[in-house]
């Protein structure tokens, strides 16, 4: 078995004991990247030479007794929205084709401090403005989307190149690619992890977090990323707990909310069935299933899009005036359309968001977490990104994919995507667990119990070519 095939914990143990070196681990990741990258094109920039140099430094540190912990010497992929000092950071846009930051983003700096080794920057939908990543392929079937906007990160983890990749989540952009690529994706509570040094899509909806191969790894990485940062106005000054403490305690007595609305309309039957079986698995482990009605459900998406489009247009205002031709047609249209949002509409959306947050707080008085599908369908074809529903409606993938993930952005609640099963066609299907504010440990505990009851978490995609792809 190759080193890239092992779990992060297994690799970390081998590094800690000296059985393998960070150089060997990094080289294994780079070899896997070379093997699969022509098919999935998950990376914008590969930093192979720098990675091997850092790996050699990590090897010397560990040999000298300066072991930093389980992330020391572990390869890392970073979404190309995150600033990386001296390394091209383009946001997958011609607007920033030559952008080389002089400082690292807060999250990257913290993971460097933990000893992680950057192997490359991963593809994103331009400026994260979309729920697909047109420049990357799904590792389970390269003719299909890896989701977005953190599609490159999802593909890189799903293909086994790295154990960890960073993403950002404004309307689901960590959980969507995690869901369709068959990996774990964790969006923490709004304010838990600093967004300083990360290009913004919508400042009051943006979150940063990890995509990993299993639930424990997500908690481990979030612990390293979290903490107060005065450079991020939304950052919350509160202690960072050990997210892995109690992760194996089980779910006996945990109240699992099962939504009777919103997450039930226009969903592929296989996805609905997988969510039901996930709930039943948790019930067999002692959880208590509680049917709940999602409050103010009809307002969630209007609020999400009114806030997102207005804030995105404000962020890109100078570029829209000075170099609009450097946007793709799709994103330029969205940015220009956002300027039509009236100030009164934006303010009303912000006020209504507060009402939604209060209503969800009331809902959580009867449950501990909410369990729902992550996305309404398996990965769509890159050539035909539309969903045709039984009620006769046709929905684009960006709308469909973000529809079920947006509530956790509007409310700011922590959400965890966990792989659950594979479709009859061999494509990943996952579920998301949404928790109370700053209760990431709870959703990790439930997610861990769910992954232990299945055999799909941690699988590495074979990365099929277009000619042999799943149909």
């Amino acid at each position: 078995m190759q080193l890239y095939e092992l779990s992060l914990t297994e690799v970390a143990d081998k590094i800690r004991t000296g059985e393998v070196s960070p150089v060997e681990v990094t080289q294994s990741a780079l070899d896997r990247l070379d093997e699969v990258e022509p098919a999935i094109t998950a990376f914008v920039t590969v930093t192979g030479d720098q990675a091997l140099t850092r790996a050699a430094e990590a090897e010397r540190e560990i040999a000298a007794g300066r072991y930093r912990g389980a992330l020391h010497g572990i390869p890392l992929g970073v979404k190309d929205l995150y600033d990386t000092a001296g390394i091209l950071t383009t946001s997958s846009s011609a607007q920033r084709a030559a952008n080389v930051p002089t400082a690292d983003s807060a999250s990257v700096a913290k993971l460097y401090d933990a000893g992680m080794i950057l192997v490359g920057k991963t593809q994103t939908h331009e400026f994260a403005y979309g729920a697909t990543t047109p420049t990357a392929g799904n590792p389970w079937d390269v003719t299909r989307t890896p989701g977005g906007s953190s599609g490159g990160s999802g593909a890189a983890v799903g293909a086994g190149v790295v154990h960890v990749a960073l993403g950002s989540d404004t309307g689901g952009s960590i959980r969507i690619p995690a869901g369709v690529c068959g990996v774990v994706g964790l969006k923490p509570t709004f304010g838990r992890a600093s967004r300083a040094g990360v290009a913004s899509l919508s400042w009051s909806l943006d979150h940063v977090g990890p995509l990993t191969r299993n639930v424990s790894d997500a908690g481990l990485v979030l612990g390293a990323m979290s903490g107060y940062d005065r450079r991020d106005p939304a950052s919350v000054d509160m202690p960072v707990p050990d997210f892995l403490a109690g992760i194996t305690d089980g779910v006996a007595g945990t109240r699992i909310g099962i939504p009777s609305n919103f997450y039930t309309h226009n969903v592929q039957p296989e996805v609905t069935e997988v969510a039901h079986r996930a709930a039943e698995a948790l019930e067999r482990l002692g959880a208590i299933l509680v049917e709940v009605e999602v409050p103010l459900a009809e307002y969630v998406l209007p609020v999400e899009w009114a806030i997102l489009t207005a804030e995105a247009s404000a962020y890109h205002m100078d570029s829209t005036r000075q170099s609009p031709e450097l946007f793709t047609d799709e994103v330029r249209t969205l940015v220009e359309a956002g300027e039509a949002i009236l100030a009164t509409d934006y303010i009303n959306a912000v006020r209504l968001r507060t009402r939604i947050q209060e209503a969800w707080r009331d809902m959580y008085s009867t449950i501990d977490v909410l369990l729902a599908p992550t996305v309404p369908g398996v990965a769509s074809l890159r050539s035909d990104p539309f969903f045709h529903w039984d009620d006769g409606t046709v929905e684009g993938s960006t709308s469909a994919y973000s529809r079920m993930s947006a509530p956790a952005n509007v409310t700011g609640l922590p959400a965890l995507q966990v792989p659950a099963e594979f479709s009859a066609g061999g494509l990943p299907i996952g579920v998301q667990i949404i928790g109370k504010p700053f209760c990431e440990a709870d959703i990790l505990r439930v997610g861990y119990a769910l992954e232990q009851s299945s055999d799909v978490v941690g699988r590495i995609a074979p990365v099929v070519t277009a000619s042999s792809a799943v149909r």
Side-chain angles (χ1 to χ4, degrees), residues 265-336:
H265 178 65
N266 282 349
V267 185
Q268 290 176 355
E270 272 189 301
V271 172
T272 297
E273 292 164 6
V274 167
H276 286 165
R277 285 193 289 271
E280 290 170 351
L282 291 170
E283 186 176 35
R284 287 193 297 272
L285 294 171
I288 301 166
L289 304 187
V290 180
E291 185 175 291
V292 294
E293 181 176 349
V294 175
L296 302 176
E298 67 272 27
Y299 299 112
V300 170
L301 291 178
V303 165
E304 166 81 14
W305 286 107
I307 293 173
L308 188 157
T309 53
E311 292 183 354
S313 295
Y315 179 81
H316 290 292
M317 185 171 61
D318 288 346
S319 296
T320 306
R321 304 291 185 272
Q322 297 168 8
S323 53
E325 73 283 357
L326 295 182
F327 287 114
T328 60
D329 290 343
E330 176 192 10
V331 170
R332 177 179 174 178
T333 299
L334 289 169
V335 170
E336 291 177 344

Side-chain angles (χ1 to χ4, degrees), residues 140-151:
W140 295 95
D141 178 350
V142 296
T143 69
R144 296 177 181 268
T145 179
S149 61
S150 310

